[in-house]
Amino acid sequence: MTALLATRVLNADGATIAEAARCLASGGLVAFPTETVYGLGADATDGQAVARLYAAKGRPAFNPLIAHVADAAAARRLARLDADAERLAAAFWPGPLTLVLPKAEGCVVAELATAGLDSIAVRVPRHAVAQQLLHKFGKPIVAPSANRSGHVSPTTAAHVLADLRGRVDLIVDGGATPVGVESTIVACLGEPALLRPGGVPSEAIERALGRPLARPAVEAASADDAPLAPGMLASHYAPRTPLRLDASRVEAGEAVLAFGPKPVPGAEHAARVLNLSPCGDLIEAAANLFAHLRALDAVGAPCIAAMPVPRDGLGEAINDRLVRAAAPRPARL
Ligand code: TXA
Ligand code: MG
């Protein structure tokens, strides 16, 4: 059991960033905003801090972490970028893209953070607060999404507090995160492969590469096996209320996750209706996804009915998260 900490929530000004960097340097855990979701940061080079981070999240230790760095030069000190990786870094960093790369000789990131793999996930976030913190701290920061393992990712400081109060030292409040879904993860360990759809649409990545991405089957992973692509646990982004996908009508008493301008048949009998984007904009929908799932979960309805969301652009990541949220929960998580 982790001892309870006095979690502080501070507005993201210069003094807070300096305090956050000091806290990380002394082995503390700091939640901070990125453009995708809030991350739970620890000093990537400090094995004990990383161990505390896994404990705070309740995360299976085989699930490795993303190392966040300020720029591509810092990324090259941790990992080897081949020509494809360099092309993607130039096109999308800073931004919501994570690259899984061969670990560089002399990589300073703690072995525990990469779960003993020869590869490492690296990302250069674009959010001003994340950038300022990385510059101030001057070392890589490992940061999973700042939720308890298996819960919905946090897009506000209040979400982080709801999940991790007493388990982290400091939450840097930088407002709601603009993208709202996690980064896209591409492995460049050979032929580039999409491991997780996310904030950069896969079409944009394929345009930058000049060819299609490989798409390893993600369904193959189960919670009991070491995941094929770690992190692809079938049940992951989960509200407690069961979720029904591709709903075309509402049963009385359900909570409804709507999308687009068309009225949902039966919505007048719903416990609550929240629309991801009344005008049908996928960027707005991604930004609202996790906050709406949390709010509908809080209704206490027997079921959340999710209406269909188109699959193009950010719709791929939104549908991926909805399918995971609807997957049966392994009893142990
Ligand atoms: O947007 C994001 O990526 C957020 C923000 C905070 O940066 N972070 C995030 O981290 O979503 P997390 O830990 O919740 O998800 C990272 C995923 C995990 O599924 C993990 O298994 C995968 O990245 N991953 C990390 N290292 C890997 C590796 N070497 N090979 C394959 N997958 C890896
Ligand atoms: Mg996560």
Side-chain angles (χ1 to χ4, degrees):
M1 237 358 272
T2 339
L4 275 192
L5 303 167
T7 302
R8 288 174 304 154
V9 184
L10 299 175
N11 273 329
D13 56 19
T16 299
I17 303 273
E19 171 69 21
R22 277 196 298 275
C23 183
L24 289 172
S26 62
L29 301 181
V30 175
F32 63 96
T34 78
E35 68 276 20
T36 56
V37 299
Y38 274 73
L40 175 57
D43 177 350
T45 68
D46 178 346
Q48 281 195 38
V50 175
R52 286 185 65 212
L53 192 158
Y54 279 115
K57 254 193 87 96
R59 154 167 283 198
F62 53 68
N63 199 354
L65 303 170
I66 299 173
H68 297 66
V69 290
D71 52 33
R76 287 187 204 101
R77 290 194 283 274
L78 304 183
R80 295 198 305 273
L81 283 73
D82 66 9
D84 290 321
E86 287 289 355
R87 197 166 298 133
L88 295 180
F92 301 109
W93 280 353
L97 174 70
T98 294
L99 295 177
V100 172
L101 303 163
K103 244 192 232 175
E105 193 93 10
C107 173
V108 291
V109 171
E111 196 71 31
L112 182 59
T114 52
L117 299 172
D118 307 329
S119 59
I120 182 167
V122 186
R123 154 160 144 75
V124 178
R126 140 180 108 208
H127 196 288
V129 172
Q131 275 288 331
Q132 286 159 21
L133 181 58
L134 285 163
H135 277 107
K136 189 86 197 167
F137 184 54
K139 288 197 276 183
I141 299 174
V142 281
S145 51
N147 51 279
R148 296 287 290 277
S149 189
H151 289 191
V152 171
S153 287
T155 56
T156 66
H159 295 163
V160 179
L161 193 62
D163 255 28
L164 294 176
R165 183 197 288 275
R167 292 173 162 260
V168 308
D169 298 286
L170 174 60
I171 300 172
V172 180
D173 186 352
T177 58
V179 175
V181 290
E182 300 88 344
S183 60
T184 304
I185 304 182
V186 172
C188 289
L189 301 167
E191 201 42 34
L194 180 69
L195 299 188
R196 176 176 78 180
V200 179
S202 55
E203 298 94 311
I205 294 172
E206 293 178 333
R207 264 197 309 279
L209 282 173
R211 62 190 195 281
L213 286 160
R215 289 163 188 263
V218 295
E219 301 80 14
S222 87
D224 290 332
D225 301 323
L228 174 82
M232 295 290 114
L233 298 174
S235 168
H236 195 82
Y237 305 89
R240 290 171 192 81
T241 312
L243 189 79
R244 188 162 73 80
L245 297 176
D246 290 324
S248 54
R249 53 165 301 111
V250 178
E251 306 298 331
E254 284 184 326
V256 182
L257 187 66
F259 176 84
K262 268 196 10 219
V264 207
E268 61 282 9
H269 306 298
R272 181 147 189 220
V273 181
L274 288 177
N275 198 319
L276 287 171
S277 171
C279 69
D281 174 14
L282 288 167
I283 293 176
E284 181 184 33
N288 285 330
L289 179 65
F290 291 127
H292 280 12
L293 278 175
R294 276 176 190 266
L296 292 176
D297 200 16
V299 168
C303 184
I304 299 170
M307 290 172 64
V309 175
R311 291 175 183 279
D312 56 311
L314 287 187
E316 186 181 12
I318 294 169
N319 278 288
D320 174 81
R321 304 308 185 269
L322 287 174
V323 168
R324 287 170 199 285
R329 314 289 140 72
R332 288 190 295 106
L333 270 187

